[in-house]
């Protein structure tokens, strides 16, 4: 059931668990995430980056595919279709294409410009029933070619953005996209606690969920994180399962080259990763 992400995240924040955002890349990815959420009776957010949207030939294609698949599979758990790290222009494209939620990433603008653009987009999104996420303090690592430094957000700036009426807020707390380096210092719980103190009941978002140890995830949830983004981990498990299939020569046996067979192990691997994350985040049975 396609909905915006506000209610599911308010409930998660109040219930001290988090809803996973799993980024999608194609039909297999979408189907794997939707089916797992339904089987486990968990709310879920499908994340689409601008790069992935482009890869799938545009946001309209993505929106049509997700809406049709949600219906065809008889999905009854709450599903939000969310733009990940949207530009100003990208947000408008997704609103027009029928997404139910957007993220405006104005973290690279000066705070005044971030505020001006976020204010405008909050008004437009809410007017059409979409939820909206904003970001303060950049997330480290690479996202669609943009390298972030992984700085910690200023709690006062978080408060300013929260007061604009955004539905959930991504605050940088030393988290990064992609794999974490060996010398990573870990999440800054000091920053997270200070941000949480300033923004009241607003659900917080943790980007770069791949490879963050379970105890840090639990602590982050206890400090107001209600949405955790997972992207790289599904890619790694998909690639690993596919490699094993090919290395075992299974594509050369019988009709093992059939794409429906070739992609099946990767599909199952995505399902297993999504399940593992939903267990860790505590969202199972919360639909
Ligand atoms: Zn992110």
């Amino acid at each position: 059931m396609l909905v915006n992400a506000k209610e599911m995240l308010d409930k998660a924040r109040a219930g001290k668990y988090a809803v996973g955002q799993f980024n999608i890349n194609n039909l297999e990815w979408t189907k794997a995430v939707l089916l797992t959420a339904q089987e486990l009776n968990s709310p879920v957010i499908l994340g689409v980056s601008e790069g992935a949207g482009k890869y799938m030939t545009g946001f309209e294609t993505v929106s049509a595919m997700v809406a049709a698949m949600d219906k065809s599979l008889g999905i009854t758990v709450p599903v939000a279709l969310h733009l990940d790290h949207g530009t100003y222009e990208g947000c408008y494209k997704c609103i027009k294409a029928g997404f139910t939620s957007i993220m405006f990433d104005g973290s690279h603008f000066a705070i005044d410009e971030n505020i001006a653009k976020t204010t405008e987009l909050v008004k437009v999104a809410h007017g059409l029933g979409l939820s909206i996420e904003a970001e303060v303090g950049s997330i480290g690592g690479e996202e669609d070619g943009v390298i972030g430094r992984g700085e910690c957000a200023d709690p006062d700036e978080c408060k300013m953005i929260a007061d604009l009426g955004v539905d959930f807020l991504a605050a940088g707390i030393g988290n990064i996209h992609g794999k974490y380096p060996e010398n990573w210092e870990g999440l800054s719980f000091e920053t997270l606690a200070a941000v949480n103190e300033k923004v009241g009941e607003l659900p917080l978002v943790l980007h770069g969920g791949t490879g963050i140890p379970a105890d840090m995830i639990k602590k982050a949830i206890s400090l107001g994180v209600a949405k955790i983004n997972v992207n790289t981990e599904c890619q790694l498990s998909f690639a690993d399962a596919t490699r094993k299939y090919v290395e075992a020569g299974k594509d050369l046996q019988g009709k093992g080259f059939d794409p429906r067979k070739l992609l099946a192990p990767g599909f199952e691997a995505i399902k297993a990763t999504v399940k593992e994350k939903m267990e860790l985040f505590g969202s199972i049975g919360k639909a």
Side-chain angles (χ1 to χ4, degrees):
M1 182 182 45
L2 274 175
V3 295
N4 72 39
K6 180 173 170 49
E7 193 186 330
M8 66 169 89
L9 293 181
D10 283 346
K11 274 170 75 180
R13 156 107 211 190
K16 299 259 182 210
Y17 60 93
V19 177
Q21 170 188 308
F22 300 94
N23 284 44
I24 57 171
N25 292 286
N26 56 21
L27 183 144
E28 281 74 18
W29 237 267
T30 311
K31 187 173 152 188
V33 177
L34 287 178
L35 284 175
T36 310
Q38 183 68 25
E39 282 162 22
L40 301 175
N41 198 31
S42 169
V44 76
I45 297 167
L46 301 178
V48 180
S49 67
E50 299 217 353
K54 204 172 162 188
Y55 173 78
M56 290 183 271
T57 74
F59 296 126
E60 285 187 4
T61 307
V62 179
S63 180
M65 175 181 71
V66 169
M69 207 183 280
D70 180 71
K71 198 175 154 200
S72 308
L73 293 174
I75 304 294
T76 55
V77 298
V79 176
L81 177 58
H82 181 71
L83 170 64
D84 191 24
H85 290 282
T87 58
Y88 177 80
E89 297 76 18
C91 284
Y92 277 103
K93 282 184 189 165
C94 286
I95 290 168
K96 197 164 160 253
F99 276 47
T100 63
S101 189
I102 53 171
M103 172 188 189
F104 171 58
D105 181 355
S107 62
H108 50 284
F109 290 120
I111 188 72
D112 289 351
E113 192 167 0
N114 192 355
I115 287 176
K117 288 192 159 70
T118 302
T119 303
E120 177 191 317
L121 286 161
V122 165
K123 207 173 153 197
V124 174
H126 286 174
L128 294 165
L130 283 80
S131 50
I132 176 167
E133 172 180 351
E135 176 171 328
V136 181
S138 75
I139 316 294
E142 188 189 327
E143 179 94 355
D144 281 350
V146 180
I147 310 281
R149 282 169 299 162
E151 63 194 25
C152 282
D154 174 343
D156 289 316
E157 289 189 359
C158 289
K159 167 91 176 123
M160 278 190 251
I161 297 284
D163 286 348
L164 304 178
V166 300
D167 300 294
F168 31 104
L169 180 71
I173 54 167
N175 43 328
I176 64 170
H177 294 118
K179 285 184 181 176
Y180 283 83
E182 291 290 326
N183 61 355
W184 181 52
E185 288 171 14
L187 297 176
S188 169
F189 291 110
E190 201 185 324
T191 305
L192 181 56
V195 171
N196 191 30
E197 178 82 30
K198 291 272 181 187
V199 303
E201 294 303 303
L202 191 69
L204 298 173
V205 183
L206 184 61
H207 284 244
T210 296
I212 296 178
D215 59 330
M216 284 194 199
I217 294 281
K218 300 260 187 214
K219 189 161 182 196
I221 292 172
S222 77
L223 289 169
V225 165
K227 172 175 179 278
I228 302 176
N229 294 6
V230 177
N231 185 8
T232 309
E233 205 148 339
C234 290
Q235 299 183 8
L236 290 169
S237 49
F238 177 86
D240 184 55
T242 307
R243 178 166 36 75
K244 281 179 180 145
Y245 181 88
V246 173
E247 281 181 354
K250 291 189 181 166
D251 56 319
L252 302 172
Q253 296 163 16
K255 287 228 174 177
F257 57 84
D258 177 340
R260 282 172 259 164
K261 291 199 170 89
L262 179 64
L263 297 176
F267 171 82
E268 292 300 334
I270 297 169
K271 285 192 75 188
T273 299
V274 171
K275 183 181 180 200
E276 190 188 302
K277 294 296 161 190
M278 286 177 166
E279 277 166 356
L280 176 60
F281 301 165
S283 69
I284 293 177
K286 306 288 189 185

